Amino acid sequence: MPYQDCFTLMGIGSVFFLLGLGLILWGKREERDYYGSIAARPDVREFLEHSPENPGPEGSKVGGWIASAIGLLTLAMGIGFWLWG
């Protein structure tokens, strides 16, 4: 595999990994802001029971973990091809 291809693969892996980390952090911040706004209300039943579920923050965090895993795998493949290819 030519060196340009290895660096391209490592670049794509790095972008996916950074995108995944960004999504994880964004999901955590969104969840904190959402439940913080609910906690300020007089009726805190939704805050205590987490019902109804808000899939937005959890979906962002799960997507971030998936993107990070794909990014790390792609980055490792690029480094492996670069070193042993």
Side-chain angles (χ1 to χ4, degrees), residues 1-10 72-85:
M1 178 177 268
Y3 283 118
Q4 294 90 2
D5 293 345
C6 295
F7 291 129
T8 303
L9 197 58
M10 288 189 290
L72 282 176
L73 180 66
T74 309
L75 184 62
M77 285 174 38
I79 291 171
F81 288 145
W82 180 51
L83 291 175
W84 297 293

Side-chain angles (χ1 to χ4, degrees), residues 4 19 24 28 30 37-38 47 51-52 55 57 60 65 73 79-80:
Q4 294 90 2
L19 177 70
I24 291 169
K28 286 184 179 185
E30 187 177 341
S37 69
I38 291 175
F47 174 72
S51 175
S60 296
W65 284 112
L73 180 66
I79 291 171

Side-chain angles (χ1 to χ4, degrees), residues 12-14 16-17 66-79:
I12 291 171
S14 299
F16 266 90
F17 181 69
I66 292 170
S68 294
I70 290 172
L72 282 176
L73 180 66
T74 309
L75 184 62
M77 285 174 38
I79 291 171

Side-chain angles (χ1 to χ4, degrees), residues 31 34-35 44-54:
E31 184 178 35
Y34 176 73
Y35 287 120
V44 293
R45 180 177 181 184
E46 184 178 355
F47 174 72
L48 293 173
E49 295 178 0
H50 296 285
S51 175
E53 287 290 325
N54 185 7

